[in-house]
Every structure is written in structure tokens, then in C-alpha cells.
Amino acid sequence: MPSSKTRIAIVGGGVSGLVVARHVVAKLDIYSLMLFEQTDQIGGTWVYTDETDLDKHGLLIHSSMYKNLRTNIPKEIMAIPDFPFQDSEGPSFTHHRVIREYLMAYAKHFNLHPYIKLNTLVKRAEPETTRNGRTLWTVTYQSLETKVETTKTFDAVVLCNGHYSVGRVPHIPGIESFRGRRVHSHQYRVPETYAGKRVCILGASWSGIDIALEVSQYAAKVYLSHNLPEQFDSKMSSNVEQRPGVESVRGNMFTFRDGSTAEVDDFIFCTGYKFTYPFMSTKVEIRTDDDHVEPIYKHLVHIDYTNLFFMGLPALVIPFPCFHIQAQYVLAILENRVKLPSPQQMREEFEREKKSLLDQGIPLRHINKLKDRQWAYYDEMAAAANVPSLAPVIKKIMDHVFQMRDADFTTYKNYQYRIIDSENFSMSYCKPC
């Protein structure tokens, strides 16, 4: 007899996959669950490895974690709302190892391991429409250890395969002639590699600045190449020089957009990542042009397949709490507590919102960067799913972090935050170790 339970497949055992699993596991009377993770441990991008190219199974290394990375959000607000960090005394901007341990504790606390298949690669997810008009999903997966392939049917698929593993590398005329070493930030691990070198870093977002600060402690010279309107000269080391974007390369000579040139030994692309879903059937329309995934309703639900969910699309958000609310919204849809509009209405709403943002001068590639829009998003999703939204103190701390970072990105991680209650927090400055 077919099971009366709703069968859920989760692709990916990083944070968003674990958070979805936690909420599914709380309702095993109505759900059955399989979570597929291609590596041999949970944690996704938070699992540090010295490896940078291929893993033991010949697959691309998933994690982009570098050795010294500390979070750029305080752990007090980064925590999943129903699972606070145990160490309330430690630094707010914590080392990635602490996050990894936190995720291990989360999986253990909510007993997620029995539902996780490690070393398992999802090869294909295919929608099939039944005679009564329902969409089911056949998922084909392979054990990387035995090479055995299995196909199972599910009622819903939640994509949690992350988007910090396939680097976006723009083509630069003449780059083929460059004789030095070039990597994407995905492959960056330690700054000591660049001791005494002349390094060009392309891109000055979070990772570009972070890596420039690290590398400048060892490199002879760092050229931070970007097209942002602001300059960071007063806050960078004296051996860091800012230049516009790279126009062309000839051997080791880089020409920048202002016509200036520089000799470079090593080149690091800090140019962002691609959204990729290589296992998804071609029946499913997914456009990922220009860092924007569509057609997706509420940054989460595929408009044509409303039992296919894309976790973690929003950027410039507090990711773990965002996943916590998104996961509960997903279950509210599956339990029919949230009734979605018709596909046509969802598409019209999606196009309307997209046009409004484009008309405000927000480029397509920045539409998923919610930043100040994230709070209304959480409130709307939480209200629809009838679950708590985030306390006002979370926004207050996040606003303060951005304010401190804008004032001086070299020192903002030295602040320590403490949540007093749902409205108030305290803060103190701690000298770095």
C-alpha cells in the first residue's frame, strides 16, 4: 500500500537542508524524509578543507571556507531561533569552526542523522504528472561509495544544494597569457601563500575586502580592483592600492579601466558565485542569468511546480533565521495552511515586483539582495505560516553591525553584542586577540 505520508526529498546537508529537516522530523506522523548529502559530513560550506579542486570521489570541492574566516554577522543574531549558541561568553564574530560545531550539535539535538544519506549524489530530479493532475518527483541518486544508483518517488523536493561552490569568473581579454597563479575565492585558503607577491584581487564585496585584509599582511603589494564608487584607502594597509576593474591582461602586466597598469604575480577573482542545479530535469524552467533565479515566488517556490522549493536564494540577509522561517512556510504550503495563488497570479506578482525593483534602479543581479527588505519578508512569511517572526532586537543589532562596518570594516568584528530582551541589546568593544 502507498504511504499516506508526504514524502520529502532534501538535496544538500548544509544549514538550510538541516533546518528544513529539523521541521520535517518534528512531524513524522505526516512526513517521511530523505536528505541527500554528496560529501561525507554535514555542514555544507562550513566544512573547512585544505583541498581546493576535487574531492576523493572526483567531484568539485563544495566548500569555499578559508582557514581564518570569521563570521560577518554576530552569533547572537546568526543563531537559528530555536537553538541558541551554548557559549554566550565567546566573541560575537566567531571562527567558522564554532559554526560547524554548532551545526553538529543542532543535528544531534533534533536527531537528524537517521534521515541523512551521506556520500550520496543526486543525479536527476524529474517531475511526473499523475492522471489526477498531481506532480510527483522521481529522484535518482547514487551512492558514491558503492556506485549503486537508486530511484525513488517523492511528493516534494527542497533544493538546499548551496550557492557558494561554483565561482563566477568573468572573461578578461588576454587572461590566457597570464603566467602567474589565478584562483577564484572559492579556492582561496591561506594568506601565507602570497608572501612577497604582487597580488591583484578583483572584487570588493565581503570576501574581496576580507581576503585583501588578510593577504596584505604577507604580500609585497595588493591591487584591490573594483568598480565601486567608494574608496577604502584610509582603512587599508599602506601596501594596498585600489584600482578600477581590470580591462585587459598581457603576460604579467594588468591594464585597469583608468588606463593605469601594474605588474602582477597572483590573481584572485572575488567575483561571486553561480546558482546551479545540474541534476534538475529540463522539463523544469529555471533561469539563473545574471545571478537571479526565476520563475520563483517569494524567493522560494517554483511558480510552475509548487512542490519544488529553492532554499537560501536571498542574499544580504541573516541566513540561518531566514532558513528557519522559509522552512516553516514550506511545510505550511505542504499542509495546505498556506494557500498559494494560481500560477498565473504568482507569475504576475513576481513580474510586478521585479519591474518595480528594476524601475527603482536595482539591477537584476541585486534583486535577491534583500538587506533592508529582509525584515518585511520575514514578517510576511511568518504571518502566512502562523509562526513567530524575528524579534525587533535582531534588526537593531544588524543595523548597528552595518553602521559599524560602514564606519570601519577593519574593526567592526571587534564589537561584542549581548541580547538583553526582544527590544534591547548591549555592546562593548573588545580588543582583538
Side-chain angles (χ1 to χ4, degrees):
M1 289 289 290
S3 168
S4 59
K5 294 183 179 183
T6 301
R7 300 159 297 181
I8 298 181
I10 298 173
V11 182
V15 187
S16 64
L18 296 175
V19 171
V20 176
R22 172 262 180 276
H23 290 285
V24 173
V25 166
K27 296 181 172 183
L28 289 175
D29 53 326
I30 57 174
Y31 293 114
S32 64
L33 169 68
M34 290 180 81
L35 185 156
F36 304 102
E37 168 54 46
Q38 74 176 32
T39 71
D40 58 6
Q41 48 196 312
I42 60 169
T45 202
W46 293 98
V47 180
Y48 176 80
T49 173
D50 290 323
E51 301 295 327
T52 58
D53 295 314
L54 300 178
D55 67 13
K56 62 188 176 185
H57 298 296
L59 297 173
L60 291 171
I61 290 292
H62 179 78
S63 178
S64 297
M65 195 58 53
Y66 43 96
K67 195 166 191 176
N68 303 323
L69 182 137
R70 289 164 62 205
T71 61
N72 53 25
I73 298 172
K75 71 176 191 296
E76 289 75 20
I77 64 171
M78 189 175 175
I80 302 164
D82 60 2
F83 195 73
F85 280 84
Q86 297 307 300
D87 174 21
S88 59
E89 296 306 311
S92 289
F93 297 88
T94 191
H95 187 263
H96 61 75
R97 181 187 62 256
V98 174
I99 305 298
R100 173 83 208 300
E101 290 165 357
Y102 169 78
L103 297 175
M104 296 289 285
Y106 180 84
K108 184 178 179 184
H109 179 80
F110 291 110
N111 193 32
L112 305 184
H113 285 287
Y115 310 95
I116 298 172
K117 297 183 85 66
L118 298 174
N119 292 308
T120 304
L121 178 69
V122 172
K123 306 273 298 237
R124 191 166 182 77
E126 183 94 24
E128 292 184 356
T129 307
T130 64
R131 266 179 280 180
N132 62 5
R134 280 181 65 213
T135 297
L136 298 177
W137 294 90
T138 57
V139 176
T140 301
Y141 56 93
Q142 180 188 51
S143 163
L144 293 171
E145 293 172 317
T146 66
K147 302 303 179 194
V148 172
E149 284 194 10
T150 309
T151 300
K152 286 196 184 308
T153 302
F154 295 90
D155 300 293
V157 172
V158 189
L159 303 182
C160 304
N161 57 310
H163 47 90
Y164 294 114
S165 56
V166 180
R168 192 191 311 109
V169 179
H171 176 70
I172 297 168
I175 190 65
E176 303 79 12
S177 68
F178 180 57
R179 296 186 293 274
R181 176 179 39 189
R182 66 181 193 264
V183 299
H184 187 272
S185 57
H186 173 63
Q187 284 123 357
Y188 172 80
R189 292 294 182 267
V190 293
E192 291 87 345
T193 307
Y194 300 95
K197 302 287 190 180
R198 296 164 297 185
V199 184
C200 179
I201 296 173
L202 180 61
S205 190
W206 296 84
S207 62
I209 289 175
D210 227 17
I211 291 171
L213 289 170
E214 277 201 5
V215 168
S216 65
Q217 296 173 42
Y218 295 88
K221 183 79 176 178
V222 174
Y223 297 98
L224 181 59
S225 169
H226 64 86
N227 295 312
L228 298 176
E230 69 265 30
Q231 294 283 302
F232 319 107
D233 292 320
S234 60
K235 297 160 193 157
M236 286 285 188
S237 305
S238 58
N239 63 337
V240 178
E241 193 177 319
Q242 289 174 79
R243 296 285 179 95
V246 179
E247 185 74 41
S248 63
V249 174
R250 189 170 179 179
N252 281 40
M253 189 64 71
F254 279 46
T255 301
F256 300 94
R257 288 185 176 179
D258 61 356
S260 65
T261 60
E263 264 194 89
V264 170
D265 302 309
D266 285 283
F267 190 19
I268 306 174
F269 288 92
C270 292
T271 44
Y273 292 85
K274 296 177 182 176
F275 291 97
T276 59
Y277 306 96
F279 47 80
M280 187 54 65
S281 163
T282 53
K283 291 180 188 174
V284 181
E285 178 196 5
I286 306 175
R287 293 193 304 283
T288 57
D289 313 340
D290 209 7
D291 210 15
H292 182 66
V293 184
E294 53 181 85
I296 310 293
Y297 180 69
K298 302 294 184 198
H299 303 282
L300 183 60
V301 187
H302 195 286
I303 286 172
D304 300 324
Y305 296 93
T306 55
N307 55 357
L308 174 63
F309 305 96
F310 292 68
M311 289 290 290
L313 297 187
L316 290 186
V317 295
I318 310 178
F320 298 9
C322 179
F323 303 152
H324 179 76
I325 291 174
Q326 284 187 322
Q328 293 175 92
Y329 185 85
V330 166
L331 296 197
I333 291 171
L334 296 177
E335 293 160 26
N336 219 19
R337 291 183 288 112
V338 164
K339 293 183 171 45
L340 295 172
S342 70
Q344 184 184 343
Q345 289 171 313
M346 285 192 283
R347 200 172 281 271
E348 286 169 0
E349 185 180 325
F350 167 81
E351 293 294 349
R352 221 175 17 249
E353 183 183 353
K354 181 171 136 183
K355 183 179 184 303
S356 165
L357 293 167
L358 292 171
D359 288 348
Q360 291 170 44
I362 297 173
L364 187 67
R365 68 182 185 280
H366 290 164
I367 282 179
N368 68 326
K369 293 181 177 176
L370 298 190
K371 199 177 178 184
D372 294 334
R373 291 182 281 133
Q374 68 182 303
W375 314 108
Y377 177 72
Y378 304 147
D379 290 346
E380 179 193 355
M381 303 291 270
N386 195 26
V387 299
S389 190
L390 304 187
V393 70
I394 307 294
K395 179 181 185 301
K396 290 178 182 177
I397 292 177
M398 194 70 207
D399 288 346
H400 191 272
V401 169
F402 273 105
Q403 187 185 331
M404 292 296 100
R405 185 178 185 272
D406 288 344
D408 189 343
F409 57 78
T410 67
T411 60
Y412 80 101
K413 292 186 182 183
N414 299 337
Y415 288 89
Q416 187 131 24
Y417 293 87
R418 294 288 176 262
I419 293 175
I420 298 169
D421 54 37
S422 64
E423 293 280 348
N424 301 290
F425 69 94
S426 64
M427 177 210 71
S428 57
Y429 186 84
C430 307
K431 284 186 177 176
C433 301

